[in-house]
Amino acid sequence: MDDSPHQPVLYKEIIHALQPHTGGRYVDGTLGAGGHARGIMEASAPDGQLLGLDVDPQALAIARRNLAPYEHRIHLAQASYTSLSTQLARLGWGAVDGIVLDLGASSMQFDTPERGFSFLHDAPLDMRFGPHALQTAADLVNKYSERELADLIYQYGEERESRKIARAIVRARPIQTTRELVAAIEAVSPRRGERVHPATRTFQALRIAVNEELTSIEEVLPQAVTALKPGGRLAVISFHSLEDRIVKDFFREHSKDRVNPPYEQIYEEERKATLKEVNRKPIVPSDEETQNNPRARSAKLRIAEKT
Ligand SMILES: C[S@@+](CC[C@H](N)C(=O)[O-])C[C@H]1O[C@@H](n2cnc3c(N)ncnc32)[C@H](O)[C@@H]1O
């Protein structure tokens, strides 16, 4: 695994968004190689502190090495960001100044063939971010009914040919490797010189399902709002429209006062806005960044401040 500290996506923008300061407390819920975390530590020197979480033990080991110079100011845990409240309670941290979530898989995970994230390499069809995930992609592909697979590929992959692909997968079972899955997809959805490989959307769908990515985002956002101090900021980088929509809708919803609940929601209490959107439109990487790192192309950063 390449563990050189890459410049992470939207690095400068994340540091600018969180404005880390001396004595501040920060959370990186998706530590990866620790690139954003390093920036936070530098900007909050000499005594800012960071809680870093990742479900991937390999990522955590690499981050620990990359963040060694700040060892006395960081707390790392192999845990999901969905356990944010518990992790903060464990540290005895009341409220924090900033939280970053850089969603999805890391370059290190994509570039490690045996993790099974990439359709460009033959490997066991795994796709788990960490050992906490209950099922691998192979489990889903071999156990789900044709209908369940079609729904999953349609919903999480936004794949128009989901039915055809689901049928081909069921016909090709058992499927244990990335290459077998790609062959099944290509048999019904051949490459036509398009920029996007025909397996892209199915791989995305399986990864989201295996790691319960969308429900995890839904779970962490309210915890993040509770965890922030007034004026504290939450910065979220998403990589596809399904993730971005959840973040956008949550930010919009919580930036509104709800003084007169509509009558269908009579049980809803009157509520003051808890967030203020810092940017109405998402921040995207510069042309220079996408040229140097094509994976940054689809990144979108949304920032909200606790009121
Ligand atoms: C895009 S990478 C983050 C890269 C990081 N910002 C950096 O500077 O190197 C996303 C990381 O989030 C981790 N991850 C995904 N889902 C998670 C979850 N529910 N809880 C904690 N970490 C998660 C992945 O294992 C991966 O290492």
Side-chain angles (χ1 to χ4, degrees), residues 84-114:
L84 179 66
S85 311
T86 318
Q87 298 299 328
L88 290 172
R90 197 177 50 87
L91 278 181
W93 283 10
V96 299
D97 298 273
I99 300 174
V100 56
L101 295 169
D102 177 12
L103 301 170
S106 66
S107 308
M108 296 187 303
Q109 289 164 335
F110 275 123
D111 295 341
T112 305
E114 58 274 21

Side-chain angles (χ1 to χ4, degrees), residues 58-131:
Q58 291 178 354
L60 217 57
I62 289 163
R64 200 178 293 281
R65 267 210 311 275
N66 290 339
L67 296 170
Y70 318 101
E71 196 181 21
H72 56 294
R73 298 196 274 135
I74 57 175
H75 312 265
L76 302 184
Q78 186 186 326
S80 170
Y81 55 65
T82 57
S83 66
L84 179 66
S85 311
T86 318
Q87 298 299 328
L88 290 172
R90 197 177 50 87
L91 278 181
W93 283 10
V96 299
D97 298 273
I99 300 174
V100 56
L101 295 169
D102 177 12
L103 301 170
S106 66
S107 308
M108 296 187 303
Q109 289 164 335
F110 275 123
D111 295 341
T112 305
E114 58 274 21
R115 301 293 298 263
F117 288 108
S118 169
F119 47 78
L120 300 175
H121 305 278
D122 192 22
L125 198 53
D126 189 328
M127 298 198 197
R128 286 171 302 161
F129 287 151

